[in-house]
């Protein structure tokens, strides 16, 4: 099943190019803060899936293109991310990376602010007039389905609810400029495009053999397969759950392959992951300066 969140925090099921509104089966959905209805739906999925299916059959579809897609979980408790994680990306950006020469096995994971999530219907917004370099990273995201604490890799895949596309956008460090923490540089509002839909695990035949591609305008910048992940999905769940508890609806960005590069205002960035989906977001500069400029 492909789950969507759209417009004013409504929930949909997507089949082909058609979206079926199933909000009647998610009574807690809506814009009131905090928007945690998808995490609750995921936590109770076994009992609630039949209600979602019934609502889908009672619904008249509309074209997906006629709605505005929000992140398919707007407010996960955690957004975890793996650094690097494809061998051919290691060292690729040299001194602009704090990961230079290190493996994801050594570095483990980092966090992105939940507030950096944006849906497929959103826009990537760069700080106004910034001279810094902002890069794209094309990543498969795993969405957790069950509370996971100290999960050994042999049991890890049973904790996966589904998958989405995710762009891990990053402000790079520069020689001569004080180095901000990685979490700061990756947490600007809209720096985590996430979607377009949440695809349940039963629809993805092998998450470790998916083509992952990203284009800037018409230029193919990244093209790799998830079979090249250094720390695979069970490894990431084992590692993260050894440190803290993962909750239903939590997101793990699995790391970027080679080919990362800059994006600029006026560009359109497209991500496509086999069996998971595709989305394109425009890039623009913010209209106003933040109190702290970057
Ligand atoms: Mn990344």
């Amino acid at each position: 099943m492909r789950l969507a969140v759209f417009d004013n925090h409504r929930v949909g099921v997507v089949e082909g190019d058609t979206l079926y509104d199933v909000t009647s089966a998610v009574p807690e959905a809506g814009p009131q803060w905090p928007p945690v209805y998808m995490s609750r739906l995921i936590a109770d999925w076994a009992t609630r899936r039949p209600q979602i299916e019934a609502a889908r059959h009672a619904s008249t579809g509309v074209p997906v293109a006629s709605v505005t897609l929000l992140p398919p979980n707007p407010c996960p408790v955690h957004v975890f991310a793996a650094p690097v994680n494809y061998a051919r990306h290691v060292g690729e950006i040299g001194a602009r990376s704090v990961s230079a020469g290190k493996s994801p096995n050594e570095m483990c994971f980092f966090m992105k602010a939940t507030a950096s999530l944006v849906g497929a219907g959103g826009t990537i917004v760069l700080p106004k007039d910034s001279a810094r370099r902002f890069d794209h990273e094309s990543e498969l995201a795993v969405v957790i389905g069950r509370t996971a604490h100290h999960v050994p890799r042999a049991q890890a895949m049973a904790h996966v609810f589904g998958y989405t596309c995710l762009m891990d956008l990053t402000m790079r460090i520069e020689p001569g400029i004080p180095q901000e923490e990685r979490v700061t540089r990756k947490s600007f509002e809209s720096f985590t495009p996430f979607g377009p839909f949440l695809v349940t695990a039963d629809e993805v035949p092998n998450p470790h053999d998916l083509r992952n591609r990203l284009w800037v305008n018409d230029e193919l910048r990244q093209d790799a397969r998830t079979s090249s992940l250094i720390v695979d999905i069970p490894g990431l769940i084992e590692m993260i759950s050894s440190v803290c508890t993962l909750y239903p609806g939590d997101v793990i960005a699995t790391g970027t392959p080679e080919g990362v590069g800059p994006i600029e205002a006026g560009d359109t960035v497209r991500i496509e992951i086999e069996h998971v989906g595709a989305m394109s977001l425009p890039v623009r500069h913010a209209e106003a300066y933040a109190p702290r400029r970057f």
Side-chain angles (χ1 to χ4, degrees):
M1 192 179 290
R2 293 175 177 249
L3 296 165
V5 173
F6 65 99
D7 294 349
N8 194 22
H9 290 267
R10 302 192 69 79
V11 179
V13 170
V14 175
E15 295 174 13
D17 295 328
T18 304
L19 179 143
Y20 299 89
D21 190 327
V22 298
T23 311
S24 61
V26 193
E28 64 270 58
Q32 60 275 19
W33 188 89
V36 294
Y37 50 91
M38 290 301 288
S39 294
R40 289 183 176 160
L41 177 65
I42 291 165
D44 298 334
W45 184 242
T47 54
R48 297 183 63 179
R49 180 170 188 152
Q51 298 158 24
I52 297 290
E53 286 170 345
R56 177 260 174 264
H57 289 293
S59 167
T60 306
V62 298
V64 173
S66 69
V67 306
T68 300
L69 292 168
L70 303 181
N73 187 2
C75 194
V77 173
H78 298 118
V79 181
F80 300 101
V84 189
N85 214 14
Y86 287 76
R88 289 165 69 187
H89 173 60
V90 176
E92 165 179 65
I93 51 175
R96 280 202 171 92
S97 172
V98 294
S99 306
K102 299 176 191 160
S103 84
N105 268 311
E106 296 169 39
M107 290 182 287
C108 296
F109 68 89
F110 62 89
M111 311 295 300
K112 298 196 76 171
T114 297
S116 68
L117 293 172
V118 66
T123 298
I124 297 164
V125 181
L126 306 179
K128 182 175 168 69
D129 294 344
S130 179
R132 298 288 291 269
R133 172 172 153 171
F134 298 92
D135 278 2
H136 56 79
E137 299 187 354
S138 185
E139 309 197 10
L140 173 69
V142 174
V143 175
I144 293 298
R146 290 165 44 186
T147 299
H149 178 70
H150 288 189
V151 177
R153 60 175 291 122
Q155 275 100 59
M157 293 306 284
H159 293 74
V160 173
F161 179 79
Y163 302 94
T164 68
C165 303
L166 185 148
M167 298 181 199
D168 174 17
L169 306 178
T170 307
M171 182 175 75
R172 293 297 174 201
I173 57 174
E174 297 290 344
I177 295 179
Q179 216 177 84
E180 303 90 354
E181 292 287 349
R182 188 194 322 239
V183 66
T184 306
R185 295 183 289 103
K186 288 174 172 280
S187 288
F188 287 93
E189 197 112 346
S190 81
F191 270 31
T192 312
F194 176 61
F197 316 121
L198 173 48
V199 181
T200 52
D202 56 328
E203 293 217 3
V204 178
N206 179 0
H208 292 102
D209 191 24
L210 302 174
R211 191 174 188 185
N212 165 9
R213 283 179 292 176
L214 183 142
W215 295 258
V216 176
N217 305 319
D218 293 327
E219 184 189 350
L220 179 62
R221 294 270 189 92
Q222 298 188 267
D223 185 0
R225 298 196 74 86
T226 56
S227 48
S228 302
L229 284 171
I230 297 169
V231 182
D232 63 8
I233 296 165
L236 290 168
I237 292 171
E238 181 181 78
M239 173 201 290
I240 298 166
S241 75
S242 296
V243 176
C244 65
T245 302
L246 293 92
Y247 295 103
D250 276 0
V251 177
I252 305 174
T254 56
T256 187
E258 66 278 10
V260 303
I263 56 172
E264 294 176 355
D267 287 341
T268 297
V269 189
R270 173 181 171 82
I271 183 172
E272 181 173 339
I273 299 179
E274 205 177 356
H275 298 294
V276 174
M279 60 181 179
S280 297
L281 286 86
V283 184
R284 66 169 172 82
H285 276 296
E287 284 161 16
Y289 293 112
R292 152 92 190 231
R293 295 191 193 178
F294 288 90

